[in-house]
Amino acid sequence: MRKGIIMAACSYSVWGLFPLYFKSISNVAPMEILAHRILWAMPFLLLIIACRTQWAWIPNVIKRPKVLGGFIASALLLSCNWFIYIWAVNNGHVIDSSLGYFINPIVNVLLGFILLKERLRPIQWLAVGIAGCGVSWLALQSGHMPWISLALAISFGIYGLLRKTAALGALEGLSLETIILFPCALAYVTYLSSQGASTFTTTLAIDSTTTWLLLAAGPITAIPLLLFAAGARLIPMSTLGLLQYIAPSIQLLLGVWLFHEPFNGARLAGFVIIWSALILYSAEGLWRAYQQNKQRMAAV
């Protein structure tokens, strides 16, 4: 279990540090960054699959159009989520992006209720209500809804729902999504190169740093996912649910202390309200997991 916690915590920590990576290539347009992330992730993921000789899933997926269709939808949602995140970070909205992943668990609960007809327990309803108050407060004090945060939370929430019922594991699923997106990414990068507008090729002769950083998008995308997939198999979901707050917490600290984004008392109050909802939601989940485990032990 300790090994699983370390691997999962490392994966969330890497995701939390993503703003440092995207800020380092802020001279590249978000769409081009997204294309290169897809472009270089695919060969890296396929290399891992080759090393592990995990090819058996590919023929099975090809024979099941419904499964393939589900992964096309999840691939589009994932690319939208990635693009919004990259754009947000490189346009001074690191704090807004962190808020999106803070409220994501609450959005997941709501999506389960709306789309999967799951019943919410009273404490869960209370947590949703408190989180709604926090979002409303942030909208009131800023004069507009926190659209970036909501877009990230909703897109990743729906993506999670699709992957929850998917027939493939984390590595195979991301590999298939990357394969689906690869032709579009390659076509876009080729078009930019033909127009002389590709940062990847134009900066190579001047400063190779940006080019190498774009090439690094492959392992940067895949490594935390592999750590997460390995760690998640070794620890309970309740523990994993608490560890997920590592990433947005690091992003928030980076946004406030390193990138000096505005974070006044009114905005802090909105975050505190949402954090209160998350504490309530997490505590209820832990208590429920404890009671279920106690009942299982008693039955034994």
Side-chain angles (χ1 to χ4, degrees):
M1 184 170 174
R2 182 183 299 175
K3 184 180 178 182
I5 290 173
I6 291 172
M7 287 191 291
C10 285
S11 70
Y12 283 119
S13 298
V14 173
W15 284 326
L17 293 171
F18 265 17
L20 295 176
Y21 170 70
F22 290 122
K23 284 283 189 181
S24 69
I25 49 174
S26 58
N27 58 311
V28 185
M31 186 60 76
E32 187 176 356
I33 295 175
L34 174 63
H36 280 286
R37 189 175 182 183
I38 296 165
L39 207 60
W40 304 115
M42 194 187 82
F44 188 82
L45 289 166
L46 292 181
L47 177 63
I48 294 170
I49 289 175
C51 291
R52 299 172 66 171
T53 61
Q54 290 180 292
W55 301 107
W57 57 273
I58 295 179
N60 294 332
V61 170
I62 294 173
K63 296 174 185 176
R64 301 168 67 184
K66 188 176 179 180
V67 173
L68 190 60
F71 273 97
I72 291 173
S74 67
L76 293 174
L77 274 169
L78 184 62
S79 62
C80 288
N81 182 269
W82 282 358
F83 176 78
I84 295 167
Y85 182 78
I86 294 166
W87 182 92
V89 168
N90 286 352
N91 283 273
H93 296 285
V94 175
I95 294 176
D96 289 325
S97 66
S98 75
L99 176 63
Y101 293 107
F102 273 125
I103 64 177
N104 178 248
I106 303 297
V107 170
N108 287 342
V109 171
L110 272 178
L111 289 174
F113 172 73
I114 296 169
L115 300 178
L116 301 181
K117 308 302 180 184
E118 294 178 351
R119 295 182 62 184
L120 300 189
R121 300 183 292 274
I123 299 296
Q124 289 179 315
W125 274 120
L126 182 58
V128 169
I130 293 172
C133 291
V135 171
S136 300
W137 170 255
L138 289 171
L140 183 65
Q141 63 90 25
S142 65
H144 59 82
M145 291 292 288
W147 295 115
I148 294 171
S149 307
L150 292 174
L152 284 170
I154 293 170
S155 60
F156 197 69
I158 298 175
Y159 170 76
L161 276 180
L162 289 175
R163 288 303 306 272
K164 182 179 180 180
T165 57
L168 298 178
L171 174 61
E172 295 86 350
L174 181 63
S175 299
L176 179 57
E177 288 163 349
T178 307
I179 291 169
I180 290 167
L181 296 170
F182 183 83
C184 295
L186 180 61
Y188 182 71
V189 170
T190 303
Y191 170 76
L192 289 179
S193 298
S194 68
Q195 299 298 309
S198 171
T199 309
F200 183 79
T201 53
T202 55
T203 60
L204 182 59
I206 305 169
D207 178 16
S208 61
T209 303
T210 299
T211 301
W212 284 110
L213 284 171
L214 287 172
L215 282 169
I220 286 173
T221 296
I223 288 172
L225 179 90
L226 295 173
L227 287 170
F228 172 81
R233 288 196 295 265
L234 302 175
I235 58 178
M237 285 301 295
S238 56
T239 305
L240 196 65
L242 292 177
L243 291 174
Q244 71 180 318
Y245 299 124
I246 292 174
S249 297
I250 294 174
Q251 292 169 22
L252 176 62
L253 293 175
L254 289 174
V256 174
W257 288 341
L258 184 62
F259 303 127
H260 306 293
E261 293 183 8
F263 195 65
N264 55 27
R267 200 174 189 190
L268 175 61
F271 270 74
V272 169
I273 295 171
I274 291 168
W275 288 333
S276 300
L278 291 174
I279 291 170
L280 185 64
Y281 169 79
S282 300
E284 193 269 350
L286 287 173
W287 174 254
R288 186 174 178 83
Y290 168 75
Q291 291 295 323
Q292 289 175 343
N293 185 56
K294 188 177 178 180
Q295 290 173 3
R296 284 196 295 268
M297 293 296 290
V300 173

Coordinates of all heavy atoms in Angstrom, one line a residue, residues 225-293:
L225 N 0.8 9.1 -16.0 CA -0.3 8.2 -16.2 C 0.0 6.8 -15.8 O -0.7 6.1 -15.1 CB -0.8 8.3 -17.6 CG -2.0 7.3 -17.8 CD1 -3.3 8.0 -17.6 CD2 -1.9 6.7 -19.2
L226 N 1.2 6.4 -16.1 CA 1.7 5.0 -15.8 C 1.9 4.9 -14.3 O 1.5 3.9 -13.7 CB 3.0 4.7 -16.5 CG 2.9 4.6 -18.0 CD1 4.3 4.5 -18.6 CD2 2.0 3.5 -18.5
L227 N 2.4 5.9 -13.6 CA 2.5 5.9 -12.2 C 1.2 5.8 -11.5 O 1.0 5.1 -10.6 CB 3.3 7.2 -11.7 CG 4.8 7.3 -12.0 CD1 5.3 8.7 -11.7 CD2 5.5 6.2 -11.1
F228 N 0.2 6.6 -12.1 CA -1.1 6.6 -11.5 C -1.8 5.2 -11.7 O -2.4 4.7 -10.7 CB -2.0 7.7 -12.2 CG -3.4 7.6 -11.9 CD1 -3.9 8.2 -10.7 CD2 -4.4 7.0 -12.7 CE1 -5.2 8.1 -10.3 CE2 -5.7 6.9 -12.4 CZ -6.1 7.5 -11.2
A229 N -1.7 4.7 -12.9 CA -2.3 3.4 -13.1 C -1.7 2.3 -12.2 O -2.5 1.5 -11.7 CB -2.1 3.0 -14.6
A230 N -0.4 2.3 -12.0 CA 0.2 1.3 -11.1 C -0.2 1.6 -9.7 O -0.5 0.6 -9.0 CB 1.7 1.4 -11.3
G231 N -0.2 2.8 -9.2 CA -0.5 3.1 -7.9 C -2.0 2.8 -7.5 O -2.3 2.4 -6.4
A232 N -2.9 3.2 -8.5 CA -4.3 3.0 -8.2 C -4.7 1.6 -8.0 O -5.7 1.3 -7.3 CB -5.1 3.6 -9.4
R233 N -3.9 0.6 -8.5 CA -4.2 -0.8 -8.3 C -3.9 -1.3 -6.9 O -4.3 -2.3 -6.5 CB -3.5 -1.7 -9.4 CG -4.0 -1.5 -10.8 CD -3.5 -2.7 -11.6 NE -2.1 -2.6 -11.8 CZ -1.5 -2.0 -12.8 NH1 -2.2 -1.4 -13.8 NH2 -0.2 -2.0 -12.9
L234 N -3.1 -0.5 -6.2 CA -2.5 -1.0 -4.9 C -3.2 -0.3 -3.7 O -2.9 -0.7 -2.6 CB -1.0 -0.7 -4.9 CG -0.2 -1.4 -6.0 CD1 1.3 -1.0 -5.8 CD2 -0.3 -2.9 -5.8
I235 N -4.0 0.7 -3.9 CA -4.6 1.5 -2.8 C -6.1 1.6 -2.9 O -6.6 1.5 -4.1 CB -3.9 2.9 -2.7 CG1 -4.1 3.7 -3.9 CG2 -2.5 2.8 -2.3 CD1 -3.6 5.1 -3.9
P236 N -6.8 1.8 -1.8 CA -8.3 1.9 -1.9 C -8.7 3.2 -2.6 O -7.9 4.2 -2.7 CB -8.7 2.0 -0.4 CG -7.5 1.5 0.4 CD -6.3 1.8 -0.5
M237 N -9.9 3.2 -3.2 CA -10.4 4.4 -3.9 C -10.5 5.6 -3.0 O -10.3 6.7 -3.4 CB -11.7 4.1 -4.5 CG -11.7 3.2 -5.7 SD -10.7 4.0 -7.1 CE -11.7 5.4 -7.5
S238 N -10.8 5.4 -1.7 CA -10.9 6.5 -0.7 C -9.6 7.2 -0.6 O -9.5 8.4 -0.5 CB -11.4 5.9 0.6 OG -10.6 4.9 1.1
T239 N -8.5 6.4 -0.5 CA -7.2 7.0 -0.4 C -6.8 7.8 -1.7 O -6.3 8.9 -1.7 CB -6.1 5.9 -0.1 OG1 -6.5 5.2 1.0 CG2 -4.8 6.6 0.1
L240 N -7.2 7.2 -2.8 CA -6.9 7.8 -4.1 C -7.7 9.1 -4.2 O -7.2 10.1 -4.8 CB -7.3 6.9 -5.2 CG -6.8 7.2 -6.6 CD1 -5.2 7.1 -6.7 CD2 -7.4 6.2 -7.7
G241 N -8.9 9.1 -3.7 CA -9.7 10.3 -3.7 C -9.1 11.5 -3.0 O -9.3 12.6 -3.4
L242 N -8.4 11.2 -1.9 CA -7.8 12.3 -1.1 C -6.5 12.7 -1.8 O -6.2 13.9 -1.8 CB -7.4 11.8 0.3 CG -8.6 11.5 1.2 CD1 -8.1 10.9 2.5 CD2 -9.4 12.8 1.5
L243 N -5.8 11.8 -2.4 CA -4.5 12.2 -3.1 C -4.8 13.0 -4.3 O -3.9 13.8 -4.7 CB -3.8 10.9 -3.5 CG -3.2 10.0 -2.4 CD1 -2.6 8.7 -3.0 CD2 -2.1 10.8 -1.6
Q244 N -6.0 13.0 -4.9 CA -6.2 13.8 -6.1 C -6.1 15.3 -5.9 O -6.0 16.0 -6.8 CB -7.6 13.4 -6.7 CG -8.8 13.9 -5.9 CD -10.1 13.5 -6.5 OE1 -10.3 13.6 -7.7 NE2 -11.0 13.1 -5.7
Y245 N -6.2 15.7 -4.6 CA -6.2 17.1 -4.3 C -4.7 17.7 -4.3 O -4.5 18.9 -4.2 CB -6.9 17.4 -3.0 CG -8.3 17.1 -3.0 CD1 -8.8 16.2 -2.0 CD2 -9.2 17.5 -3.9 CE1 -10.1 15.8 -2.0 CE2 -10.5 17.2 -4.0 CZ -11.0 16.3 -3.0 OH -12.3 15.9 -3.0
I246 N -3.8 16.8 -4.5 CA -2.4 17.2 -4.5 C -2.1 18.1 -5.7 O -1.5 19.2 -5.6 CB -1.4 16.0 -4.6 CG1 -1.4 15.2 -3.2 CG2 0.0 16.4 -4.9 CD1 -0.6 14.0 -3.2
A247 N -2.6 17.7 -6.9 CA -2.4 18.4 -8.2 C -2.9 19.8 -8.1 O -2.2 20.8 -8.4 CB -2.9 17.6 -9.3
P248 N -4.2 20.0 -7.9 CA -4.7 21.4 -7.8 C -4.1 22.3 -6.7 O -4.0 23.5 -6.9 CB -6.2 21.2 -7.7 CG -6.4 19.9 -7.1 CD -5.3 19.1 -7.7
S249 N -3.7 21.6 -5.6 CA -3.1 22.4 -4.5 C -1.7 23.0 -5.0 O -1.4 24.1 -4.7 CB -2.9 21.5 -3.3 OG -4.1 21.0 -2.8
I250 N -1.0 22.1 -5.7 CA 0.3 22.6 -6.2 C 0.1 23.7 -7.2 O 0.8 24.7 -7.3 CB 1.1 21.4 -6.8 CG1 1.5 20.4 -5.7 CG2 2.4 21.9 -7.5 CD1 2.2 19.2 -6.2
Q251 N -0.9 23.5 -8.1 CA -1.2 24.5 -9.1 C -1.6 25.8 -8.5 O -1.1 26.9 -8.9 CB -2.3 24.0 -10.0 CG -1.9 22.8 -10.9 CD -3.1 22.2 -11.6 OE1 -4.1 22.8 -11.8 NE2 -3.0 21.0 -12.0
L252 N -2.4 25.8 -7.4 CA -2.8 27.0 -6.7 C -1.6 27.7 -6.2 O -1.5 28.9 -6.3 CB -3.8 26.6 -5.7 CG -4.3 27.8 -4.8 CD1 -5.0 28.9 -5.6 CD2 -5.2 27.3 -3.6
L253 N -0.7 27.0 -5.5 CA 0.5 27.6 -4.9 C 1.4 28.2 -6.0 O 1.9 29.3 -5.8 CB 1.3 26.5 -4.1 CG 0.6 26.0 -2.9 CD1 1.4 24.9 -2.3 CD2 0.3 27.1 -1.8
L254 N 1.5 27.5 -7.1 CA 2.3 28.1 -8.2 C 1.7 29.4 -8.7 O 2.4 30.4 -9.0 CB 2.4 27.1 -9.4 CG 3.3 25.9 -9.1 CD1 3.2 24.9 -10.3 CD2 4.8 26.3 -8.9
G255 N 0.3 29.4 -8.9 CA -0.4 30.5 -9.4 C -0.2 31.7 -8.5 O 0.0 32.9 -9.0
V256 N -0.3 31.5 -7.2 CA -0.2 32.6 -6.2 C 1.2 33.1 -6.0 O 1.5 34.3 -6.1 CB -0.9 32.2 -4.9 CG1 -0.7 33.3 -3.8 CG2 -2.4 31.9 -5.1
W257 N 2.1 32.2 -5.7 CA 3.4 32.5 -5.2 C 4.5 32.7 -6.3 O 5.4 33.5 -6.2 CB 4.0 31.5 -4.2 CG 3.3 31.6 -2.9 CD1 2.5 32.6 -2.4 CD2 3.2 30.5 -1.9 NE1 2.0 32.3 -1.2 CE2 2.4 31.0 -0.8 CE3 3.7 29.2 -1.8 CZ2 2.2 30.3 0.3 CZ3 3.5 28.5 -0.7 CH2 2.7 29.0 0.4
L258 N 4.4 31.9 -7.4 CA 5.4 32.0 -8.5 C 4.9 32.9 -9.6 O 5.7 33.7 -10.1 CB 5.7 30.6 -9.0 CG 6.8 30.5 -10.1 CD1 8.1 31.0 -9.5 CD2 6.9 29.0 -10.6
F259 N 3.6 32.7 -10.0 CA 3.2 33.5 -11.2 C 2.4 34.8 -10.8 O 2.0 35.6 -11.6 CB 2.3 32.6 -12.1 CG 2.9 31.4 -12.5 CD1 2.4 30.1 -12.4 CD2 4.2 31.4 -13.2 CE1 3.0 29.0 -12.8 CE2 4.8 30.3 -13.6 CZ 4.2 29.1 -13.4
H260 N 2.2 35.0 -9.5 CA 1.7 36.2 -8.9 C 0.3 36.6 -9.5 O 0.1 37.8 -9.8 CB 2.7 37.4 -9.0 CG 4.0 37.1 -8.5 ND1 4.2 36.9 -7.1 CD2 5.2 36.9 -9.1 CE1 5.5 36.6 -6.9 NE2 6.2 36.6 -8.1
E261 N -0.5 35.6 -9.7 CA -1.9 35.9 -10.2 C -2.7 36.5 -9.0 O -2.5 36.2 -7.9 CB -2.5 34.6 -10.7 CG -1.9 34.1 -12.0 CD -2.6 32.9 -12.5 OE1 -3.7 32.5 -12.0 OE2 -2.0 32.2 -13.4
P262 N -3.7 37.4 -9.3 CA -4.5 38.0 -8.3 C -5.2 37.0 -7.5 O -5.9 36.1 -8.0 CB -5.4 38.9 -9.1 CG -5.4 38.4 -10.5 CD -4.1 37.8 -10.7
F263 N -5.1 37.1 -6.2 CA -5.8 36.2 -5.2 C -6.2 37.0 -4.0 O -5.6 36.8 -2.9 CB -5.0 35.0 -4.9 CG -5.7 33.8 -4.3 CD1 -6.7 33.1 -5.0 CD2 -5.4 33.4 -3.0 CE1 -7.4 32.1 -4.5 CE2 -6.1 32.3 -2.5 CZ -7.0 31.7 -3.2
N264 N -7.2 37.8 -4.1 CA -7.6 38.7 -3.0 C -8.5 37.9 -2.0 O -8.8 36.8 -2.1 CB -8.3 39.9 -3.5 CG -9.5 39.6 -4.4 OD1 -10.1 38.5 -4.2 ND2 -9.8 40.5 -5.3
G265 N -8.9 38.7 -0.9 CA -9.6 38.0 0.1 C -11.0 37.5 -0.3 O -11.4 36.4 0.1
A266 N -11.6 38.2 -1.3 CA -12.9 37.8 -1.8 C -12.8 36.5 -2.5 O -13.6 35.6 -2.4 CB -13.5 38.9 -2.7
R267 N -11.7 36.4 -3.3 CA -11.5 35.1 -4.1 C -11.1 34.0 -3.2 O -11.6 32.9 -3.4 CB -10.4 35.4 -5.1 CG -10.4 34.4 -6.3 CD -9.4 34.7 -7.3 NE -9.5 33.9 -8.5 CZ -8.7 33.9 -9.5 NH1 -7.6 34.6 -9.5 NH2 -8.9 33.1 -10.5
L268 N -10.3 34.3 -2.2 CA -10.0 33.3 -1.2 C -11.2 32.7 -0.5 O -11.3 31.5 -0.2 CB -9.0 33.9 -0.1 CG -8.6 33.0 1.0 CD1 -7.9 31.7 0.6 CD2 -7.7 33.7 2.0
A269 N -12.2 33.6 -0.2 CA -13.4 33.2 0.5 C -14.2 32.2 -0.3 O -14.7 31.2 0.2 CB -14.3 34.4 0.8
G270 N -14.2 32.4 -1.7 CA -14.9 31.5 -2.6 C -14.2 30.1 -2.5 O -14.8 29.0 -2.5
F271 N -12.8 30.1 -2.5 CA -12.1 28.9 -2.5 C -12.3 28.1 -1.2 O -12.5 26.9 -1.1 CB -10.6 29.1 -2.6 CG -10.1 29.1 -4.1 CD1 -10.4 30.1 -5.0 CD2 -9.4 28.0 -4.5 CE1 -10.0 30.1 -6.3 CE2 -8.9 28.0 -5.9 CZ -9.2 29.0 -6.7
V272 N -12.4 28.9 0.0 CA -12.6 28.3 1.3 C -14.0 27.6 1.3 O -14.1 26.5 1.9 CB -12.5 29.4 2.4 CG1 -13.0 28.8 3.7 CG2 -11.1 29.9 2.5
I273 N -15.0 28.2 0.7 CA -16.3 27.6 0.7 C -16.3 26.3 -0.1 O -16.8 25.3 0.4 CB -17.3 28.6 0.0 CG1 -17.5 29.8 0.9 CG2 -18.7 27.9 -0.2 CD1 -18.3 30.9 0.2
I274 N -15.6 26.3 -1.2 CA -15.5 25.1 -2.0 C -14.6 24.0 -1.3 O -14.9 22.8 -1.3 CB -14.9 25.4 -3.4 CG1 -15.9 26.2 -4.2 CG2 -14.5 24.1 -4.2 CD1 -15.4 26.9 -5.5
W275 N -13.5 24.5 -0.6 CA -12.7 23.5 0.1 C -13.6 22.9 1.3 O -13.4 21.7 1.6 CB -11.5 24.2 0.7 CG -10.5 24.6 -0.3 CD1 -10.2 23.9 -1.5 CD2 -9.5 25.6 -0.2 NE1 -9.2 24.5 -2.1 CE2 -8.7 25.6 -1.4 CE3 -9.3 26.6 0.7 CZ2 -7.7 26.5 -1.6 CZ3 -8.2 27.5 0.5 CH2 -7.5 27.5 -0.7
S276 N -14.5 23.7 1.9 CA -15.3 23.1 2.9 C -16.2 22.0 2.3 O -16.4 21.0 3.0 CB -16.2 24.3 3.5 OG -15.4 25.3 4.1
A277 N -16.7 22.2 1.1 CA -17.6 21.2 0.5 C -16.7 20.0 0.2 O -17.2 18.8 0.4 CB -18.1 21.8 -0.8
L278 N -15.5 20.1 -0.2 CA -14.6 19.0 -0.5 C -14.3 18.2 0.8 O -14.2 17.0 0.8 CB -13.3 19.4 -1.2 CG -13.5 20.0 -2.6 CD1 -12.2 20.5 -3.1 CD2 -14.0 18.9 -3.5
I279 N -14.0 18.9 1.9 CA -13.7 18.3 3.2 C -14.9 17.5 3.6 O -14.8 16.3 4.1 CB -13.4 19.4 4.2 CG1 -12.0 20.0 3.9 CG2 -13.3 18.7 5.6 CD1 -11.7 21.2 4.7
L280 N -16.1 18.1 3.5 CA -17.3 17.4 3.9 C -17.6 16.1 3.0 O -17.8 15.0 3.5 CB -18.5 18.3 3.7 CG -19.9 17.8 4.2 CD1 -19.9 17.5 5.7 CD2 -21.0 18.8 3.9
Y281 N -17.4 16.3 1.7 CA -17.5 15.2 0.8 C -16.5 14.1 1.0 O -16.9 12.9 1.1 CB -17.4 15.7 -0.7 CG -17.3 14.7 -1.7 CD1 -18.4 14.0 -2.2 CD2 -16.0 14.4 -2.3 CE1 -18.2 13.0 -3.2 CE2 -15.9 13.4 -3.2 CZ -17.0 12.7 -3.7 OH -16.9 11.8 -4.7
S282 N -15.3 14.4 1.3 CA -14.2 13.4 1.5 C -14.4 12.7 2.8 O -14.2 11.5 2.9 CB -12.8 14.1 1.5 OG -12.6 14.7 0.2
A283 N -14.8 13.5 3.9 CA -15.0 12.9 5.2 C -16.1 11.9 5.2 O -16.1 10.8 5.8 CB -15.3 14.0 6.2
E284 N -17.2 12.3 4.4 CA -18.4 11.3 4.3 C -17.9 10.1 3.6 O -18.3 9.0 4.0 CB -19.5 12.0 3.6 CG -20.8 11.3 3.7 CD -21.1 10.3 2.6 OE1 -20.3 10.3 1.6 OE2 -22.1 9.6 2.6
G285 N -17.1 10.2 2.6 CA -16.7 9.0 1.8 C -15.8 8.2 2.7 O -15.9 6.9 2.6
L286 N -14.9 8.8 3.4 CA -14.0 8.0 4.3 C -14.8 7.3 5.4 O -14.5 6.1 5.7 CB -13.0 8.9 4.9 CG -11.8 9.4 4.0 CD1 -11.0 10.5 4.7 CD2 -11.0 8.3 3.5
W287 N -15.8 8.0 6.0 CA -16.6 7.4 7.0 C -17.4 6.2 6.5 O -17.5 5.1 7.1 CB -17.5 8.4 7.6 CG -18.5 7.8 8.6 CD1 -19.8 7.6 8.5 CD2 -18.2 7.4 9.9 NE1 -20.4 7.1 9.6 CE2 -19.4 6.9 10.5 CE3 -17.0 7.3 10.7 CZ2 -19.5 6.4 11.8 CZ3 -17.1 6.8 12.0 CH2 -18.3 6.3 12.5
R288 N -17.9 6.3 5.3 CA -18.7 5.3 4.7 C -17.8 4.1 4.4 O -18.2 2.9 4.6 CB -19.4 5.8 3.4 CG -20.3 4.8 2.7 CD -21.0 5.4 1.5 NE -21.9 4.5 0.9 CZ -23.1 4.2 1.3 NH1 -23.6 4.8 2.3 NH2 -23.8 3.3 0.6
A289 N -16.6 4.4 3.9 CA -15.6 3.3 3.6 C -15.2 2.5 4.8 O -15.1 1.3 4.9 CB -14.4 3.8 2.9
Y290 N -15.1 3.3 5.9 CA -14.7 2.7 7.2 C -15.8 1.8 7.7 O -15.6 0.7 8.2 CB -14.4 3.8 8.2 CG -14.3 3.4 9.7 CD1 -13.2 2.7 10.1 CD2 -15.4 3.6 10.6 CE1 -13.1 2.2 11.4 CE2 -15.3 3.1 11.9 CZ -14.2 2.5 12.3 OH -14.1 2.0 13.6
Q291 N -17.1 2.3 7.6 CA -18.2 1.5 8.1 C -18.4 0.2 7.3 O -18.6 -0.9 7.8 CB -19.5 2.3 8.0 CG -19.6 3.5 9.0 CD -19.6 3.0 10.4 OE1 -20.2 2.0 10.7 NE2 -19.0 3.7 11.3
Q292 N -18.2 0.3 6.0 CA -18.3 -0.9 5.1 C -17.2 -1.9 5.4 O -17.4 -3.1 5.5 CB -18.2 -0.5 3.6 CG -19.4 0.3 3.2 CD -19.3 0.8 1.7 OE1 -18.2 0.8 1.2 NE2 -20.4 1.1 1.1
N293 N -16.0 -1.4 5.7 CA -14.9 -2.3 6.0 C -15.1 -2.9 7.4 O -14.8 -4.1 7.6 CB -13.6 -1.5 6.1 CG -12.4 -2.4 6.3 OD1 -12.1 -3.3 5.5 ND2 -11.6 -2.1 7.3

